[in-house]
Amino acid sequence: MITIKDLRKSFRTEEVETLALNNVNLHVENGEFVAIMGPSGCGKSTLLNIIGMLDNPTEGSYNFAGHEVAGLKESQRTQLRKGNLGFVFQSFNLIDELTVYENVELPLIYLKMGKAERKEKVMQVLERMKIAHREKHFPQQLSGGQQQRVAISRAVVTNPKLILADEPTGNLDSKNGIEVMNLLTELNQEGTTIVMVTHSDRDSHYAHRVVNLFDGQIATESQNRAIGATV
Amino acid sequence: MFKNYFKIAWRNLLKNKGYSIINIGGLALGMAVTLIIGLWMQDELTHNDNFKNKDRFAQIFQSQTFNNRTGTGPAIPLPLEPALRDGYGDSFKYLVMSSWTNDSYIKYGEINLSRPGNYMQRKAPQLLGLNVLKGDEDGLREMNSIMLSKSTADAFFGNVDPIGKTVRISNEHDMMVTAVYEDLPYNSSFSETDFIMPWDHYYNTQEWMQNSKDNWQNNSFQMFVEIAENTSMESITNAIIDVKKNADEDVVQYNPRIFLFPMEDWYLRSNFENGVQTGGRIKYVWLFGIIGAFVLLLACINFMNLSTARSEKRAKEVGIRKSIGSQKGQLIYQFLSESFLVVLFAYLMALIIVLLCLNGFNELARKEIEFPWGSGGFWLISVGFILFTALLAGSYPALYLSSFRPVDVLKGTFKTGKYAGLPRKILVVLQFTVSVAFIIGTVIVMQQINHAKNRPIGYDREGLIQIPTFSQDFTGKSDLMREQFIKSGAVVEMATSSSPTTRIWSNRSGFTWEGKPEGFQEDLAWTEVSSEYAKTIGLKIVQGRDFSRDMATDSLGVLINQTAVKYFGFENPIGMLLKDSDVEDPNPPLKIIGVVEDMIAQSPYEPVKQGMYVYDRHNNFSYYNLRLNPNQSVNQNLAIIERVFKENFPAIPFEYDFVDEEYAAKFAAEQRIGTLSGIFTALAILISCLGLFGLTSFVAEQRTKEIGVRKVLGASVFNVWNMLSKDFLKLVVISCFIAVPIAYYVMNGWLQEYPYRVILKWWIFALAMLGAMGVTVLTVSFQAIRAAKQNPVKSLRTE
């Protein structure tokens, strides 16, 4: 699904050029669950943003499901992203002015799906995430765990091939964190590819494979023995 | 999709109530101003639109040159009519001679009223397109007929059918009502014509007219025409321009030019300067149009500034939407539909404001504008107006907000750049530039009005009234009336005059005098007065003496004003003789017996015209001027005067004007402009301050943490206030320096049109600048002090 070759990403400010990613090579198979770990500032989030097509690499190649992404214009990236990718953020990033239902519905609107179909899909995913009873509430009326479930609902409502999760449990207590990880695992078992950035050793154990980044380079890669293990 | 946009827009409005009120309120005010100005402009531009033949309707005008000064006006001589009818009849569909619109006394039974109207030739109803409601469309056929407007007919006859009834005019002639026509609309050049009587009746009853039949120099009449199909105004003007010059060799020296003045220009472009058409009211239409556009712009700037200032709050939403799959274009649509929603609300509020204010505005602007509920065009324009405003206000924020990169926003590292605030600052400067320029403009207009008002006018207008005497009933009774009025104790002195003190109705030329330069073409204001005129109105004799009843020769005496002394070039004017240049004239010459101070009878902005006050030998007076007894109340005096008047003229309605009010009316136009621009300036400033208020609150919010840190480090409330206020004050100072030269240039140009004008003083500009800065400090301080007073611990903890 994802093939990254010799990827480089640098940020330039007025005075200094910072190398965020250097010579990264990564391959992710269809249906894989990969965790990216590493200390703060090692380039995890940058890599995730590039995989998520929110950002362009400075050099190198990124092939997503047969499409070369590096060098695409923003509008082309948006087009490719739509329906293929779902995002889950540490800080949930729900739109405060929209209700639970409307937040989850939003990606479908951008896919120009009809109203009845949208309703069916949204309710389906909300039921599954056990948050349907809160559909009329606004994000700020929910607990952190509930908000993250809404965010995951929104990420999966389009049936994306790939879910990108940026420290999905970072703002949650352990009980809610475990619940979220179980949800992701479930999705993965149904065939969705997942790439997750995390600080948490516990969370990384849910992944098939852990990639360790250090100073913008892949330091080690390790295979988890028990695939989909629960801790 | 749009439903979703509107939903989020609506919730955003509700969530940020303060912001929404500033935004919608400011826009509503701006749109209301623009709407009212639009309605006013529409009213001005559609003047005379009731005439279906407007594009072919014209008045015959004449330009003549005296001493290299060319005067232009509608007054034409009698023989011009046959000259045009016989020589160029094919060019005209209708050609109608008319008197001036003068008040006449109309009496029916016990009802006795004074109404304005005209004598006109038979085709007038067709030319004017009168809608005859009752009676004969050809109502001027018979010599003793009169056509009445609906409102006039109602005043006399109520429910009785007026057709065939006889009314008495000026207690002299009995006229039969032949037709009743629908009143012409108020914004029509003939709106004052309450009745029309046949021209032939006028001609047959006025001996002086019959004597003027072949006189090309007596310009005392008007002519209105509708040109024939397949002709143009230009071609007819080209044909008739020299018709007067070719007819009478005596007038060649004045180079008379006859031309068509199209109805299109009557109202808005009626100024002629030295023979050249130089615009007119159209200037004010433009002026207010520009003011309206600027006020709307100010309101739109508020919207732009407040929207972009809130960008950090909206940035997250933009990022999420983009990561979910929104295209930039879709976000632009979203923000535009938000601005559309705001503008729509603002427009509805603006409509309410307009409806509430329209009556007051009509009173101020002397209009009868009605709200065009039923006009499809109005609503169509409204839709366009809303879309235009939404685009104007919303496009910049939409482009700005939709350009955020999601990766920056979502990473939480989003910071508006160093220069992100720059466009906002430029817009604030633009706002205050306009506001300061408006303040300066308004102050100068007001000053110019006051300057002219305080100008010495040469006589005492307080406690002076004038009574019109438009009837033969008054002939020969002046001395008797003077005696009775004085005896009654209500009046201390009385004199007659051929024109009101506040007007010049007649001008004369054709004199010779000793030492008259070769080729000098004199043109003097001409007023015929009785002996006590100067004494009555308080006009000062500066040389020589006043008329005296004891000197029989004074009936050939004349007073001239100081300007006339210079004009004639007399070193010692007393005793000089003014002869008629027509050597066959049997009248003895006029002798100058005194010089009076210049008095303002025309525009208070113009120099006083050279003029002469001639003893009225022929009962040519039109007014009684009465100096009221200062030791009695005005009401007491008026009651007595009315009683005396009614005893002597039972058939004439008692009417009078206060001269000071008549004089004040000369300022009405400028006063209206001044008042209106004052109001619009105040609104412009209010709108700008609303925006500033909103901006300050956002800046204070943005810098909460900084303020907290500063306070922890020892900053006082004053330090923080100073820091926040200084930034805005700087912008206003820049605005002032841009506005001052622009305002100076424009207002100096405006003042050039007034020969008698105020001198621009530096302190006007300083005052306007200080005023703008004061308002800024006040506006900003409210938020700045609030932010400065907050407990720093609170603000630091929120991070």
Side-chain angles (χ1 to χ4, degrees), chain A residues 102-123:
Chain A
E102 288 158 359
N103 262 291
V104 177
E105 187 190 21
L106 204 51
L108 301 179
I109 291 177
Y110 287 125
L111 283 175
K112 301 202 162 68
M113 197 177 276
K115 193 177 172 180
E117 199 182 347
R118 286 204 308 260
K119 176 153 189 170
E120 194 193 318
K121 291 216 166 202
V122 173
M123 287 320 291

PDB file of all heavy atoms in Angstrom, chain A residues 102-123:
ATOM      1  N   GLU A 102     -23.082  15.612  12.784  1.00  0.00           N
ATOM      2  CA  GLU A 102     -22.621  16.449  11.676  1.00  0.00           C
ATOM      3  C   GLU A 102     -21.122  16.309  11.442  1.00  0.00           C
ATOM      4  O   GLU A 102     -20.653  16.358  10.300  1.00  0.00           O
ATOM      5  CB  GLU A 102     -22.985  17.911  11.936  1.00  0.00           C
ATOM      6  CG  GLU A 102     -24.481  18.178  11.795  1.00  0.00           C
ATOM      7  CD  GLU A 102     -24.931  19.420  12.542  1.00  0.00           C
ATOM      8  OE1 GLU A 102     -24.079  20.067  13.186  1.00  0.00           O
ATOM      9  OE2 GLU A 102     -26.130  19.717  12.495  1.00  0.00           O
ATOM     10  N   ASN A 103     -20.377  16.165  12.530  1.00  0.00           N
ATOM     11  CA  ASN A 103     -18.942  15.962  12.386  1.00  0.00           C
ATOM     12  C   ASN A 103     -18.635  14.696  11.589  1.00  0.00           C
ATOM     13  O   ASN A 103     -17.789  14.702  10.700  1.00  0.00           O
ATOM     14  CB  ASN A 103     -18.275  15.878  13.758  1.00  0.00           C
ATOM     15  CG  ASN A 103     -17.645  17.193  14.180  1.00  0.00           C
ATOM     16  OD1 ASN A 103     -16.660  17.629  13.596  1.00  0.00           O
ATOM     17  ND2 ASN A 103     -18.236  17.834  15.167  1.00  0.00           N
ATOM     18  N   VAL A 104     -19.361  13.632  11.928  1.00  0.00           N
ATOM     19  CA  VAL A 104     -19.094  12.360  11.250  1.00  0.00           C
ATOM     20  C   VAL A 104     -19.596  12.408   9.799  1.00  0.00           C
ATOM     21  O   VAL A 104     -19.030  11.795   8.901  1.00  0.00           O
ATOM     22  CB  VAL A 104     -19.755  11.203  12.035  1.00  0.00           C
ATOM     23  CG1 VAL A 104     -19.552   9.872  11.322  1.00  0.00           C
ATOM     24  CG2 VAL A 104     -19.187  11.140  13.442  1.00  0.00           C
ATOM     25  N   GLU A 105     -20.618  13.188   9.602  1.00  0.00           N
ATOM     26  CA  GLU A 105     -21.229  13.277   8.273  1.00  0.00           C
ATOM     27  C   GLU A 105     -20.344  14.047   7.284  1.00  0.00           C
ATOM     28  O   GLU A 105     -20.388  13.821   6.075  1.00  0.00           O
ATOM     29  CB  GLU A 105     -22.582  14.012   8.410  1.00  0.00           C
ATOM     30  CG  GLU A 105     -23.413  14.048   7.145  1.00  0.00           C
ATOM     31  CD  GLU A 105     -24.598  14.995   7.288  1.00  0.00           C
ATOM     32  OE1 GLU A 105     -24.544  15.890   8.160  1.00  0.00           O
ATOM     33  OE2 GLU A 105     -25.569  14.830   6.554  1.00  0.00           O
ATOM     34  N   LEU A 106     -19.521  14.960   7.830  1.00  0.00           N
ATOM     35  CA  LEU A 106     -18.781  15.914   6.993  1.00  0.00           C
ATOM     36  C   LEU A 106     -17.996  15.277   5.840  1.00  0.00           C
ATOM     37  O   LEU A 106     -18.130  15.727   4.686  1.00  0.00           O
ATOM     38  CB  LEU A 106     -17.858  16.735   7.903  1.00  0.00           C
ATOM     39  CG  LEU A 106     -17.440  18.108   7.405  1.00  0.00           C
ATOM     40  CD1 LEU A 106     -18.639  18.928   6.971  1.00  0.00           C
ATOM     41  CD2 LEU A 106     -16.689  18.835   8.520  1.00  0.00           C
ATOM     42  N   PRO A 107     -17.178  14.218   6.089  1.00  0.00           N
ATOM     43  CA  PRO A 107     -16.417  13.656   4.962  1.00  0.00           C
ATOM     44  C   PRO A 107     -17.321  13.131   3.852  1.00  0.00           C
ATOM     45  O   PRO A 107     -16.969  13.205   2.672  1.00  0.00           O
ATOM     46  CB  PRO A 107     -15.620  12.508   5.588  1.00  0.00           C
ATOM     47  CG  PRO A 107     -15.738  12.651   7.044  1.00  0.00           C
ATOM     48  CD  PRO A 107     -16.881  13.542   7.355  1.00  0.00           C
ATOM     49  N   LEU A 108     -18.497  12.637   4.245  1.00  0.00           N
ATOM     50  CA  LEU A 108     -19.421  12.099   3.234  1.00  0.00           C
ATOM     51  C   LEU A 108     -19.977  13.223   2.374  1.00  0.00           C
ATOM     52  O   LEU A 108     -20.221  13.054   1.186  1.00  0.00           O
ATOM     53  CB  LEU A 108     -20.566  11.336   3.923  1.00  0.00           C
ATOM     54  CG  LEU A 108     -20.113  10.159   4.796  1.00  0.00           C
ATOM     55  CD1 LEU A 108     -21.326   9.496   5.446  1.00  0.00           C
ATOM     56  CD2 LEU A 108     -19.352   9.141   3.953  1.00  0.00           C
ATOM     57  N   ILE A 109     -20.188  14.393   3.016  1.00  0.00           N
ATOM     58  CA  ILE A 109     -20.673  15.551   2.253  1.00  0.00           C
ATOM     59  C   ILE A 109     -19.650  15.924   1.198  1.00  0.00           C
ATOM     60  O   ILE A 109     -19.986  16.167   0.045  1.00  0.00           O
ATOM     61  CB  ILE A 109     -20.933  16.741   3.193  1.00  0.00           C
ATOM     62  CG1 ILE A 109     -22.142  16.444   4.083  1.00  0.00           C
ATOM     63  CG2 ILE A 109     -21.180  18.009   2.389  1.00  0.00           C
ATOM     64  CD1 ILE A 109     -22.436  17.530   5.090  1.00  0.00           C
ATOM     65  N   TYR A 110     -18.373  15.912   1.616  1.00  0.00           N
ATOM     66  CA  TYR A 110     -17.328  16.271   0.652  1.00  0.00           C
ATOM     67  C   TYR A 110     -17.207  15.210  -0.445  1.00  0.00           C
ATOM     68  O   TYR A 110     -16.690  15.485  -1.517  1.00  0.00           O
ATOM     69  CB  TYR A 110     -15.995  16.488   1.355  1.00  0.00           C
ATOM     70  CG  TYR A 110     -15.954  17.778   2.137  1.00  0.00           C
ATOM     71  CD1 TYR A 110     -15.642  17.803   3.484  1.00  0.00           C
ATOM     72  CD2 TYR A 110     -16.251  18.985   1.501  1.00  0.00           C
ATOM     73  CE1 TYR A 110     -15.620  18.988   4.193  1.00  0.00           C
ATOM     74  CE2 TYR A 110     -16.228  20.168   2.203  1.00  0.00           C
ATOM     75  CZ  TYR A 110     -15.911  20.176   3.552  1.00  0.00           C
ATOM     76  OH  TYR A 110     -15.886  21.356   4.232  1.00  0.00           O
ATOM     77  N   LEU A 111     -17.675  13.998  -0.153  1.00  0.00           N
ATOM     78  CA  LEU A 111     -17.694  12.964  -1.199  1.00  0.00           C
ATOM     79  C   LEU A 111     -18.947  13.071  -2.062  1.00  0.00           C
ATOM     80  O   LEU A 111     -19.162  12.275  -2.958  1.00  0.00           O
ATOM     81  CB  LEU A 111     -17.631  11.568  -0.572  1.00  0.00           C
ATOM     82  CG  LEU A 111     -16.264  11.115  -0.072  1.00  0.00           C
ATOM     83  CD1 LEU A 111     -16.382   9.765   0.634  1.00  0.00           C
ATOM     84  CD2 LEU A 111     -15.274  11.013  -1.225  1.00  0.00           C
ATOM     85  N   LYS A 112     -19.789  14.056  -1.740  1.00  0.00           N
ATOM     86  CA  LYS A 112     -21.023  14.342  -2.493  1.00  0.00           C
ATOM     87  C   LYS A 112     -21.993  13.164  -2.451  1.00  0.00           C
ATOM     88  O   LYS A 112     -22.634  12.824  -3.452  1.00  0.00           O
ATOM     89  CB  LYS A 112     -20.701  14.727  -3.941  1.00  0.00           C
ATOM     90  CG  LYS A 112     -19.800  15.949  -4.029  1.00  0.00           C
ATOM     91  CD  LYS A 112     -19.919  16.633  -5.376  1.00  0.00           C
ATOM     92  CE  LYS A 112     -19.400  18.038  -5.356  1.00  0.00           C
ATOM     93  NZ  LYS A 112     -17.959  18.152  -5.172  1.00  0.00           N
ATOM     94  N   MET A 113     -22.082  12.529  -1.311  1.00  0.00           N
ATOM     95  CA  MET A 113     -22.991  11.404  -1.142  1.00  0.00           C
ATOM     96  C   MET A 113     -24.393  11.924  -0.850  1.00  0.00           C
ATOM     97  O   MET A 113     -24.545  13.000  -0.265  1.00  0.00           O
ATOM     98  CB  MET A 113     -22.495  10.569   0.036  1.00  0.00           C
ATOM     99  CG  MET A 113     -23.063   9.186   0.094  1.00  0.00           C
ATOM    100  SD  MET A 113     -22.307   8.320   1.475  1.00  0.00           S
ATOM    101  CE  MET A 113     -20.786   7.754   0.718  1.00  0.00           C
ATOM    102  N   GLY A 114     -25.408  11.205  -1.260  1.00  0.00           N
ATOM    103  CA  GLY A 114     -26.794  11.624  -1.040  1.00  0.00           C
ATOM    104  C   GLY A 114     -27.151  11.594   0.435  1.00  0.00           C
ATOM    105  O   GLY A 114     -26.508  10.917   1.234  1.00  0.00           O
ATOM    106  N   LYS A 115     -28.211  12.316   0.772  1.00  0.00           N
ATOM    107  CA  LYS A 115     -28.541  12.530   2.169  1.00  0.00           C
ATOM    108  C   LYS A 115     -28.934  11.227   2.885  1.00  0.00           C
ATOM    109  O   LYS A 115     -28.472  10.941   3.998  1.00  0.00           O
ATOM    110  CB  LYS A 115     -29.689  13.535   2.265  1.00  0.00           C
ATOM    111  CG  LYS A 115     -29.878  14.040   3.672  1.00  0.00           C
ATOM    112  CD  LYS A 115     -30.954  15.082   3.731  1.00  0.00           C
ATOM    113  CE  LYS A 115     -31.232  15.387   5.213  1.00  0.00           C
ATOM    114  NZ  LYS A 115     -32.255  16.388   5.384  1.00  0.00           N
ATOM    115  N   ALA A 116     -29.768  10.436   2.230  1.00  0.00           N
ATOM    116  CA  ALA A 116     -30.257   9.206   2.868  1.00  0.00           C
ATOM    117  C   ALA A 116     -29.105   8.238   3.128  1.00  0.00           C
ATOM    118  O   ALA A 116     -28.986   7.655   4.206  1.00  0.00           O
ATOM    119  CB  ALA A 116     -31.310   8.557   1.974  1.00  0.00           C
ATOM    120  N   GLU A 117     -28.251   8.139   2.125  1.00  0.00           N
ATOM    121  CA  GLU A 117     -27.111   7.239   2.243  1.00  0.00           C
ATOM    122  C   GLU A 117     -26.179   7.692   3.358  1.00  0.00           C
ATOM    123  O   GLU A 117     -25.643   6.887   4.123  1.00  0.00           O
ATOM    124  CB  GLU A 117     -26.365   7.220   0.897  1.00  0.00           C
ATOM    125  CG  GLU A 117     -25.458   6.030   0.721  1.00  0.00           C
ATOM    126  CD  GLU A 117     -24.711   6.099  -0.618  1.00  0.00           C
ATOM    127  OE1 GLU A 117     -25.089   6.925  -1.485  1.00  0.00           O
ATOM    128  OE2 GLU A 117     -23.753   5.344  -0.780  1.00  0.00           O
ATOM    129  N   ARG A 118     -26.021   9.024   3.429  1.00  0.00           N
ATOM    130  CA  ARG A 118     -25.157   9.579   4.478  1.00  0.00           C
ATOM    131  C   ARG A 118     -25.694   9.188   5.842  1.00  0.00           C
ATOM    132  O   ARG A 118     -24.967   8.733   6.703  1.00  0.00           O
ATOM    133  CB  ARG A 118     -25.135  11.118   4.382  1.00  0.00           C
ATOM    134  CG  ARG A 118     -24.343  11.653   3.233  1.00  0.00           C
ATOM    135  CD  ARG A 118     -23.858  13.080   3.503  1.00  0.00           C
ATOM    136  NE  ARG A 118     -24.906  14.016   3.916  1.00  0.00           N
ATOM    137  CZ  ARG A 118     -25.491  14.900   3.102  1.00  0.00           C
ATOM    138  NH1 ARG A 118     -25.173  14.949   1.841  1.00  0.00           N
ATOM    139  NH2 ARG A 118     -26.395  15.713   3.572  1.00  0.00           N
ATOM    140  N   LYS A 119     -26.985   9.349   5.975  1.00  0.00           N
ATOM    141  CA  LYS A 119     -27.601   9.096   7.272  1.00  0.00           C
ATOM    142  C   LYS A 119     -27.380   7.637   7.686  1.00  0.00           C
ATOM    143  O   LYS A 119     -27.023   7.338   8.830  1.00  0.00           O
ATOM    144  CB  LYS A 119     -29.096   9.414   7.185  1.00  0.00           C
ATOM    145  CG  LYS A 119     -29.824   9.096   8.452  1.00  0.00           C
ATOM    146  CD  LYS A 119     -31.048   9.945   8.650  1.00  0.00           C
ATOM    147  CE  LYS A 119     -31.524   9.658  10.069  1.00  0.00           C
ATOM    148  NZ  LYS A 119     -32.540  10.505  10.537  1.00  0.00           N
ATOM    149  N   GLU A 120     -27.577   6.755   6.735  1.00  0.00           N
ATOM    150  CA  GLU A 120     -27.422   5.338   7.022  1.00  0.00           C
ATOM    151  C   GLU A 120     -26.004   5.034   7.489  1.00  0.00           C
ATOM    152  O   GLU A 120     -25.788   4.389   8.516  1.00  0.00           O
ATOM    153  CB  GLU A 120     -27.747   4.578   5.738  1.00  0.00           C
ATOM    154  CG  GLU A 120     -27.953   3.086   5.943  1.00  0.00           C
ATOM    155  CD  GLU A 120     -27.947   2.364   4.607  1.00  0.00           C
ATOM    156  OE1 GLU A 120     -28.562   2.897   3.646  1.00  0.00           O
ATOM    157  OE2 GLU A 120     -27.309   1.305   4.528  1.00  0.00           O
ATOM    158  N   LYS A 121     -25.033   5.561   6.749  1.00  0.00           N
ATOM    159  CA  LYS A 121     -23.628   5.282   7.077  1.00  0.00           C
ATOM    160  C   LYS A 121     -23.239   5.855   8.420  1.00  0.00           C
ATOM    161  O   LYS A 121     -22.556   5.205   9.216  1.00  0.00           O
ATOM    162  CB  LYS A 121     -22.718   5.876   5.990  1.00  0.00           C
ATOM    163  CG  LYS A 121     -22.844   5.155   4.678  1.00  0.00           C
ATOM    164  CD  LYS A 121     -21.495   5.092   4.000  1.00  0.00           C
ATOM    165  CE  LYS A 121     -21.563   4.084   2.869  1.00  0.00           C
ATOM    166  NZ  LYS A 121     -20.279   3.570   2.499  1.00  0.00           N
ATOM    167  N   VAL A 122     -23.675   7.089   8.653  1.00  0.00           N
ATOM    168  CA  VAL A 122     -23.291   7.754   9.902  1.00  0.00           C
ATOM    169  C   VAL A 122     -23.872   6.982  11.085  1.00  0.00           C
ATOM    170  O   VAL A 122     -23.166   6.667  12.055  1.00  0.00           O
ATOM    171  CB  VAL A 122     -23.762   9.222   9.915  1.00  0.00           C
ATOM    172  CG1 VAL A 122     -23.516   9.840  11.291  1.00  0.00           C
ATOM    173  CG2 VAL A 122     -23.041  10.023   8.844  1.00  0.00           C
ATOM    174  N   MET A 123     -25.140   6.622  10.987  1.00  0.00           N
ATOM    175  CA  MET A 123     -25.777   5.942  12.113  1.00  0.00           C
ATOM    176  C   MET A 123     -25.124   4.577  12.359  1.00  0.00           C
ATOM    177  O   MET A 123     -24.899   4.179  13.497  1.00  0.00           O
ATOM    178  CB  MET A 123     -27.279   5.796  11.877  1.00  0.00           C
ATOM    179  CG  MET A 123     -28.067   7.094  12.000  1.00  0.00           C
ATOM    180  SD  MET A 123     -27.545   8.171  13.367  1.00  0.00           S
ATOM    181  CE  MET A 123     -28.095   7.195  14.773  1.00  0.00           C
TER     182      MET A 123
END
